Amino acid sequence: MTIKKIFNNNVILTENEAGREVIATGKGIAFNRRVGCVVPDSEIERIYTLSSSDMLNKFKELVASLSFDYLQVSNEIIDCAQKILGCKLNESIYVALTDHIHMAVHRARNGITINNMLLLEIKKFYEQEYSIGLKAVEIMNRRFNVELNEDEAGFIAMHIIDAQLDFKKPLSNKIINLIQEITNVVRMTCRVEFDKDSLAYYRFVTHVKFFAKRIFSGQETAGDIEDEIHFMVKKKYPQAYSCAEKIAELIGTKYNYKVNADEKFYLTIHIAKVVQKS
């Protein structure tokens, strides 16, 4: 492969047989070489063929600014996830996860911690992805000599969950439509306009997206939150709970999916917080 651009000693921009730009990696493949040199195929360890030009440009920018270690760790986690889940993840994860790993390590080295407000839900509804997140944290802690915790495992799991949604398939359109329907119910019931730049709104939409995915994949969940806790939340957030009830009725009628008490519990909390911030 002929080098079109050198990002660092281990990462180059080149072209495949079809003449499309791809990013190739390998230990020292650009060392003592310049643009126009040919790299033997035997030295190339991995080729990234991103179908979206926008995603390719973002990936170029990312690999040019980061140490090769971050890309290697990201690859290891993605390979592990695909093996465990038995499916190929959306190519966007190569950008999103690599960038996230870099930021997570940076925060850890500077003593900055972020609580994952969706951690309980992730552990409950996405056990496989959370287990991958725990393996990822082990890899990151060992490779970068940091001490990341289960909150970070939850964040990694969110990237894995997100990367399983193929937005070119019909299912994604259903998910997007349901997210819109749910946000409209909240907007109308609670008479609120969302602050779309707020963290509360991001958490709310993220929860709804994962919730929608469970609905359309037919993933049933067991209720295990104590009745007393349900009652406390219902009493503390009556408007949000009423809104969650309307959402459950909509989903039951239109999508023939019974929203259980635990789902209503989490919906209520997220609705209450997003309304409060808006």
Side-chain angles (χ1 to χ4, degrees), residues 7-27:
F7 296 107
N8 55 55
N9 280 341
N10 310 297
V11 186
I12 63 169
L13 179 70
T14 182
E15 289 184 351
N16 61 16
E17 293 177 355
R20 290 186 56 185
E21 285 191 338
V22 296
I23 291 175
T25 64
K27 199 70 174 176

Side-chain angles (χ1 to χ4, degrees), residues 3-58:
I3 299 175
K4 290 188 65 176
K5 183 175 181 178
I6 295 173
F7 296 107
N8 55 55
N9 280 341
N10 310 297
V11 186
I12 63 169
L13 179 70
T14 182
E15 289 184 351
N16 61 16
E17 293 177 355
R20 290 186 56 185
E21 285 191 338
V22 296
I23 291 175
T25 64
K27 199 70 174 176
I29 59 173
F31 183 69
N32 277 343
R33 289 185 173 128
R34 62 182 66 185
V35 172
C37 289
V38 175
V39 178
D41 291 346
S42 59
E43 293 184 22
I44 294 174
E45 297 172 1
R46 198 173 192 120
I47 295 175
Y48 299 86
T49 307
L50 303 181
S51 58
S52 162
S53 59
D54 178 57
M55 195 61 62
L56 178 61
N57 288 333
K58 288 179 180 176

Side-chain angles (χ1 to χ4, degrees), residues 69-109:
D69 291 340
Y70 292 106
L71 189 55
Q72 286 183 311
V73 169
S74 178
N75 287 336
E76 187 175 350
I77 293 168
I78 293 168
D79 289 346
C80 173
Q82 292 183 148
K83 183 177 181 181
I84 291 173
L85 297 171
C87 69
K88 192 169 180 62
L89 298 177
N90 189 291
E91 63 185 23
S92 63
I93 196 171
Y94 288 104
V95 176
L97 184 60
T98 306
D99 187 45
H100 176 85
I101 291 169
H102 169 250
M103 293 304 299
V105 172
H106 175 77
R107 287 195 301 268
R109 287 174 173 169

Side-chain angles (χ1 to χ4, degrees), residues 52-255:
S52 162
S53 59
D54 178 57
M55 195 61 62
L56 178 61
N57 288 333
K58 288 179 180 176
F59 198 42
K60 288 179 188 177
E61 184 179 347
L62 189 65
V63 297
S65 62
L66 297 183
S67 164
F68 186 49
D69 291 340
Y70 292 106
L71 189 55
Q72 286 183 311
V73 169
S74 178
N75 287 336
E76 187 175 350
I77 293 168
I78 293 168
D79 289 346
C80 173
Q82 292 183 148
K83 183 177 181 181
I84 291 173
L85 297 171
C87 69
K88 192 169 180 62
L89 298 177
N90 189 291
E91 63 185 23
S92 63
I93 196 171
Y94 288 104
V95 176
L97 184 60
T98 306
D99 187 45
H100 176 85
I101 291 169
H102 169 250
M103 293 304 299
V105 172
H106 175 77
R107 287 195 301 268
R109 287 174 173 169
N110 287 274
I112 302 169
T113 58
I114 299 178
N115 294 330
N116 190 329
M117 302 303 291
L118 296 171
L119 184 61
L120 290 177
E121 295 158 72
I122 292 166
K123 291 169 75 171
K124 175 180 174 61
F125 297 124
Y126 297 98
E127 293 182 11
Q128 265 194 318
E129 289 83 354
Y130 178 67
S131 71
I132 294 167
L134 290 174
K135 290 179 185 294
V137 164
E138 289 180 11
I139 294 168
M140 292 162 68
N141 286 344
R142 182 177 66 251
R143 187 69 173 267
F144 299 110
N145 194 28
V146 291
E147 294 183 7
L148 298 166
N149 58 20
E150 65 174 358
D151 286 298
E152 180 58 32
F155 286 126
I156 297 291
M158 289 168 68
H159 281 288
I160 302 299
I161 296 163
D162 208 30
Q164 291 177 73
L165 301 178
D166 187 342
F167 287 100
K168 294 180 181 178
K169 292 185 178 180
L171 176 59
S172 66
N173 294 329
K174 292 183 180 180
I175 291 172
I176 292 168
N177 289 336
L178 181 53
I179 291 171
Q180 189 64 50
E181 288 174 332
I182 291 174
T183 53
N184 283 339
V185 170
V186 177
R187 185 181 291 111
M188 298 294 290
T189 303
C190 301
R191 297 181 181 180
V192 65
E193 287 301 325
F194 297 116
D195 177 3
K196 294 186 178 180
D197 294 325
S198 70
L199 186 58
Y201 180 77
Y202 169 78
R203 289 169 179 160
F204 170 68
V205 171
T206 300
H207 169 77
V208 172
K209 179 167 62 176
F210 294 161
F211 177 40
K213 181 177 181 290
R214 290 195 293 275
I215 291 171
F216 292 120
S217 63
Q219 181 181 346
E220 296 183 0
T221 58
D224 54 12
I225 297 177
E226 295 179 5
D227 291 341
E228 184 180 353
I229 298 175
H230 277 289
F231 179 77
M232 288 171 60
V233 168
K234 181 179 178 181
K235 185 177 180 181
K236 185 174 182 180
Y237 305 115
Q239 184 188 45
Y241 184 80
S242 174
C243 188
E245 289 269 74
K246 289 183 180 180
I247 292 169
E249 184 179 350
L250 165 72
I251 291 170
T253 303
K254 188 170 181 178
Y255 299 101

